[in-house]
Amino acid sequence: MAKEISKPQATSADTGGRRATTARELAKMLGVSQSAVSRAFTPGASIAAPLRERILKFAAEIDYQPNAIASMLSKSRTNIIGIVVSDMRNPFYPALIERLSRALQRIGLQSLLFNIAPGTNLEEQLTALRRYNVDAVIVISATILSGQTLSWATEGRPAILINRVIEDINMSCIACNNSEGASAIAEHFYERGHKRVAYVAGLSHTTTNRERQYGFITRVAELGMTLTSQADAGEYSYEAGRRAALEIIKGKSVDAIFFANDLLAIGGLDALREEGGCRVPEDIAVAGFDDIAMAAWPHYNLTTFSQPIDDIVRVVVEKVGSNTMQLLEQPEIIRLSGELVKRKTTGL
Amino acid sequence: MAKEISKPQATSADTGGRRATTARELAKMLGVSQSAVSRAFTPGASIAAPLRERILKFAAEIDYQPNAIASMLSKSRTNIIGIVVSDMRNPFYPALIERLSRALQRIGLQSLLFNIAPGTNLEEQLTALRRYNVDAVIVISATILSGQTLSWATEGRPAILINRVIEDINMSCIACNNSEGASAIAEHFYERGHKRVAYVAGLSHTTTNRERQYGFITRVAELGMTLTSQADAGEYSYEAGRRAALEIIKGKSVDAIFFANDLLAIGGLDALREEGGCRVPEDIAVAGFDDIAMAAWPHYNLTTFSQPIDDIVRVVVEKVGSNTMQLLEQPEIIRLSGELVKRKTTGL
DNA sequence: TACCATATTGCATTCGCATTCATTCACGAC
DNA sequence: GTCGTGAATGAATGCGAATGCAATATGGTA
């Protein structure tokens, strides 16, 4: 009864050869069929428990791992999610990417990172995205990509936009309710007695900016406050925040400034205190948006509207993890609600 | 002579079908062989220029793209580089990852991100890394992974460690000369007349910490300065920096503190000024390491040792991009030299 | 005992492209 | 005009796992 089983001789010697054991080889060693090996590694496949165990045990011994590439080809499913990013300078994005990629990994999905450099040929860069047959695409870039480019790049593949809403584009969008958040900031200013307020845009054409701007200005008007001025920083950066803040307070009297995101606000905050000669919050209040880690640092203690990163990740993973096709058939726009975080830049 | 060419009819109708055109189909439409199509897309392949052009032109028309998965399987080369990361909180890493992934993309390599969560089963998480047959692995994690785990995960695959040096592990390591950098900081302190100095470690067992600590302490001794105290912050974070700074100045008189990295230093800086009641640099000087973007912010203006990110990226891409096997055969330890950046936290 | 339903297993094929091998063709040299 | 040389092309095979289908085994039933 005892079959002759070839020993896993080639396990350690082939450091140079770099050819891993294949399912067929393993099968031969065990005297079973390659199908059996494949089934042993496929949950729910039709295979008897003892055989599966025998195979898995032996596989572990000789350190066999199914070749994912071959599997992709035959299943036409890669278990890879393409993540398109363009701005890692704003800490909000690394934080999001970190949690997202971990959550994906937890359910067996890998993240292929597409880092879109501004000012380069997008289509060329995204060609790779199309070739790799990723199961779905998650776009985290708040800027840069036009809807058209996106459609081209994802080419009928399930896609989700995070932090960016484009209608009529056949993609699901997930974003926090920017408008309501900005509204809440306006109300908060109002409650603290700041009547003359200003708004600093990041990139004025981005959807996040438009929504935040709209929400803020609308509520400001409703509450009878005065919108003293608006500035367009031109980019979502610390330096831009500094410049915008100084410009805002030049000449005019302002009680409070709402910056389109935290990075701008932090830059503005430093500039106001150090170059503008203002005390914050005594002379002027400041608020941002996102609630990045730095906002909570004691030095900044920035009032902001917190994006529900965990919720975003949860929803994205849910959508991407299950029946991905559904993303295509029923693209939907999902609004998740963030939370106003009152800190010291708007009061004591 | 004019052959009947089938029209690219299936181009727009199959949004639901999701099956892209194959090389064989394209070949049939054009009346050529599948080999020809493959060759048309393979630089340097043996194919006449006119035929190649005809194929490429038609391919562009019907929006054909070679399936990368199939290509991987037959070439047993994925053009994918695995990037293992564990800490995206320290801005140094996102900055590095961003430039690295862009540089890789520029030469046609994609980045598969493996985000290692601390305190989880590493081997399980890295199983995926092994299955995906990445061409090479770049490990950017300064912490967490033991040499043994690494070897297992990369399994004879070319691997490069960035910012971490492990000897006798059959992998190339690239790091800036931490020891010299720390030395330079010590000298800088000395020149500015700070004689009583302190060192704050991040994670004491990491190689970066050991090297920086060694370089600093050694030079301090050589120059006859006094090492007043050392603290181990326990992690490379802003908060840890705050705590460590306050502990350092408790009771003792210190002229200057060198923090193992910028994030710690920035935390320490804020704490010294706001809770410690110190003026920096008048009462106490502060220096960090890495030169993250924040260090240059006017508010911090932190003296630090700048890591040569561009050089690191260049070298890594060079190694990974060319003959990857060489990485295995001749693992080497490469030290790139950074640069002391003198800013206001060590003098005016 | 004979027979059908179900559970296991192996065989052969498929996924889409790269590549080897053989064939054909064109051009020069002798 | 013949043979040699190299380029261009197509047919066929391989990469490694998944899977439809057929074959076999198992168990229960009449």
Side-chain angles (χ1 to χ4, degrees):
Chain A
M1 268 308 164
K3 290 179 189 145
E4 282 286 334
I5 295 182
S6 326
K7 290 298 185 313
Q9 7 113 2
T11 302
S12 56
D14 60 347
T15 312
R18 289 279 320 99
R19 228 199 86 264
T21 314
T22 70
R24 171 156 278 111
E25 288 166 357
L26 194 167
K28 199 175 300 168
M29 296 184 204
L30 276 181
V32 300
S33 74
Q34 178 261 318
S35 323
V37 177
S38 173
R39 291 187 180 114
F41 279 89
T42 307
S46 169
I47 184 175
L51 178 55
R52 163 172 278 155
E53 272 178 43
R54 192 157 69 101
I55 292 177
L56 290 183
K57 183 162 167 293
F58 188 69
E61 274 176 29
I62 68 168
D63 209 26
Y64 164 82
Q65 297 268 127
N67 180 325
I69 307 296
S71 170
M72 290 178 204
L73 184 58
S74 54
K75 285 201 299 197
S76 58
R77 192 177 190 309
T78 56
N79 280 345
I80 293 181
I81 306 298
I83 299 188
V84 178
V85 190
S86 73
D87 182 11
M88 305 260 278
R89 299 286 159 67
N90 179 351
F92 175 72
Y93 292 110
L96 180 56
I97 294 169
E98 179 177 50
R99 302 203 214 175
L100 191 55
S101 67
R102 282 190 186 157
L104 289 173
Q105 246 168 273
R106 220 170 293 131
I107 60 172
L109 298 174
Q110 303 305 319
S111 311
L112 199 57
L113 199 61
F114 291 88
N115 202 320
I116 300 305
T120 57
N121 185 334
L122 284 184
E123 298 215 350
E124 189 177 321
Q125 289 191 54
L126 288 172
T127 298
L129 176 51
R130 309 185 71 205
R131 287 190 178 194
Y132 275 81
N133 266 345
V134 296
D135 290 343
V137 179
I138 298 175
V139 179
I140 308 193
S141 162
T143 57
I144 294 185
L145 295 175
S146 77
Q148 201 173 8
T149 309
L150 265 182
S151 300
W152 178 83
T154 59
E155 181 222 3
R157 226 175 295 274
I160 304 185
L161 269 52
I162 296 186
N163 211 23
R164 180 158 210 244
V165 174
I166 306 183
E167 318 246 359
D168 308 321
I169 195 193
N170 203 34
M171 291 183 209
S172 289
C173 304
I174 298 184
C176 97
N177 199 317
N178 290 305
S179 175
E180 279 181 20
S183 239
I185 298 281
E187 282 166 25
H188 180 55
F189 281 170
Y190 180 80
E191 285 163 9
R192 293 291 163 110
H194 309 304
K195 297 295 163 58
R196 294 165 303 176
V197 301
Y199 177 77
V200 175
L203 273 169
S204 54
H205 65 83
T206 58
T207 67
T208 49
N209 180 71
R210 284 211 216 108
E211 294 173 0
R212 290 171 195 175
Q213 186 164 25
Y214 172 83
F216 183 70
I217 293 179
T218 304
R219 197 77 187 113
V220 160
E222 287 171 2
L223 293 170
M225 300 156 75
T226 309
L227 184 69
T228 307
S229 58
Q230 296 187 57
D232 183 353
E235 55 175 24
Y236 288 106
S237 72
Y238 176 89
E239 267 308 326
R242 287 188 79 94
R243 285 193 302 268
L246 295 177
E247 189 188 322
I248 291 269
I249 59 168
K250 196 184 298 168
K252 299 186 184 143
S253 305
V254 180
D255 299 330
I257 309 179
F258 172 40
F259 292 83
N261 79 3
D262 285 351
L263 202 52
L264 289 169
I266 285 174
L269 193 49
D270 278 346
L272 289 173
R273 285 175 172 159
E274 293 160 14
E275 292 178 50
C278 307
R279 289 171 307 160
V280 179
E282 294 85 350
D283 301 333
I284 190 167
V286 168
F289 204 108
D290 284 348
D291 196 21
I292 59 180
M294 274 176 268
W297 287 2
H299 170 67
Y300 291 111
N301 224 317
L302 176 70
T303 289
T304 187
F305 194 81
S306 173
Q307 289 227 39
I309 292 194
D310 288 326
D311 292 336
I312 293 175
V313 168
R314 194 170 36 71
V315 172
V316 171
V317 170
E318 234 166 59
K319 281 202 159 286
V320 167
S322 61
N323 179 10
T324 43
M325 273 310 126
Q326 168 190 332
L327 283 179
L328 262 186
E329 287 156 13
Q330 301 186 352
E332 53 181 324
I333 293 176
I334 300 175
R335 291 289 181 176
L336 298 174
S337 42
E339 186 185 352
L340 180 64
V341 180
K342 300 175 187 171
R343 296 209 184 91
K344 294 203 179 144
T345 56
T346 52
L348 312 175
Chain B
M1 268 311 159
K3 288 179 191 148
E4 284 284 332
I5 295 184
S6 326
K7 290 296 186 313
Q9 7 111 4
T11 301
S12 57
D14 60 344
T15 312
R18 290 280 317 97
R19 227 198 87 266
T21 314
T22 70
R24 171 156 278 112
E25 288 166 358
L26 195 166
K28 200 175 300 168
M29 297 183 202
L30 276 181
V32 299
S33 72
Q34 178 261 318
S35 319
V37 177
S38 173
R39 291 189 179 111
F41 280 89
T42 307
S46 169
I47 184 175
L51 178 56
R52 162 172 278 155
E53 270 178 45
R54 192 158 69 98
I55 293 176
L56 290 182
K57 182 163 168 292
F58 187 69
E61 274 175 30
I62 68 169
D63 208 27
Y64 165 81
Q65 300 267 128
N67 180 324
I69 307 296
S71 169
M72 291 179 205
L73 185 58
S74 57
K75 283 201 299 196
S76 58
R77 193 178 188 311
T78 56
N79 279 345
I80 293 181
I81 306 297
I83 299 188
V84 178
V85 189
S86 73
D87 182 10
M88 305 259 278
R89 298 286 158 68
N90 179 353
F92 175 71
Y93 292 111
L96 180 56
I97 294 169
E98 179 177 50
R99 303 204 213 173
L100 191 56
S101 67
R102 282 189 186 158
L104 290 173
Q105 247 168 272
R106 218 170 294 132
I107 59 171
L109 297 174
Q110 304 305 320
S111 312
L112 198 58
L113 199 61
F114 291 87
N115 202 319
I116 300 305
T120 57
N121 186 336
L122 285 183
E123 298 215 348
E124 190 178 319
Q125 289 192 55
L126 289 173
T127 298
L129 177 52
R130 309 185 71 204
R131 287 191 180 194
Y132 275 81
N133 266 346
V134 295
D135 289 344
V137 179
I138 299 175
V139 179
I140 308 192
S141 163
T143 56
I144 294 184
L145 295 175
S146 76
Q148 201 173 9
T149 308
L150 266 182
S151 301
W152 178 84
T154 58
E155 180 222 4
R157 226 176 294 275
I160 304 185
L161 270 52
I162 297 185
N163 211 21
R164 181 159 208 247
V165 175
I166 306 183
E167 317 246 0
D168 308 321
I169 196 192
N170 204 34
M171 291 184 207
S172 288
C173 304
I174 297 184
C176 95
N177 199 318
N178 291 304
S179 175
E180 279 181 18
S183 240
I185 297 282
E187 282 166 22
H188 180 56
F189 280 170
Y190 181 80
E191 286 163 8
R192 292 292 163 111
H194 308 304
K195 297 295 165 58
R196 292 164 304 174
V197 302
Y199 177 77
V200 174
L203 273 169
S204 53
H205 65 82
T206 58
T207 65
T208 49
N209 181 72
R210 283 210 217 109
E211 294 173 0
R212 291 171 195 175
Q213 187 164 24
Y214 172 83
F216 183 69
I217 293 179
T218 303
R219 197 77 186 113
V220 159
E222 288 171 1
L223 294 170
M225 302 157 75
T226 309
L227 184 70
T228 306
S229 58
Q230 296 187 58
D232 183 353
E235 56 175 23
Y236 288 105
S237 73
Y238 176 89
E239 268 308 327
R242 287 188 79 92
R243 285 193 301 270
L246 295 177
E247 188 188 322
I248 290 270
I249 59 167
K250 194 185 299 166
K252 302 186 181 140
S253 306
V254 180
D255 300 328
I257 308 179
F258 172 39
F259 293 82
N261 79 1
D262 286 351
L263 203 53
L264 289 169
I266 285 174
L269 193 48
D270 278 345
L272 289 173
R273 285 173 171 158
E274 292 159 16
E275 291 178 51
C278 307
R279 290 172 306 160
V280 178
E282 294 86 348
D283 300 334
I284 189 167
V286 168
F289 204 108
D290 284 348
D291 196 20
I292 60 180
M294 273 177 267
W297 288 2
H299 170 67
Y300 291 111
N301 226 316
L302 176 70
T303 290
T304 186
F305 194 81
S306 174
Q307 289 226 37
I309 292 193
D310 288 326
D311 292 335
I312 293 175
V313 168
R314 193 170 38 70
V315 172
V316 171
V317 170
E318 232 167 61
K319 281 201 157 285
V320 167
S322 62
N323 179 11
T324 42
M325 271 313 125
Q326 170 190 332
L327 283 179
L328 263 184
E329 287 157 13
Q330 300 186 353
E332 52 182 325
I333 292 177
I334 299 175
R335 292 289 182 176
L336 299 174
S337 42
E339 187 184 353
L340 179 63
V341 179
K342 299 175 187 172
R343 296 209 184 91
K344 294 203 180 144
T345 55
T346 51
L348 312 173

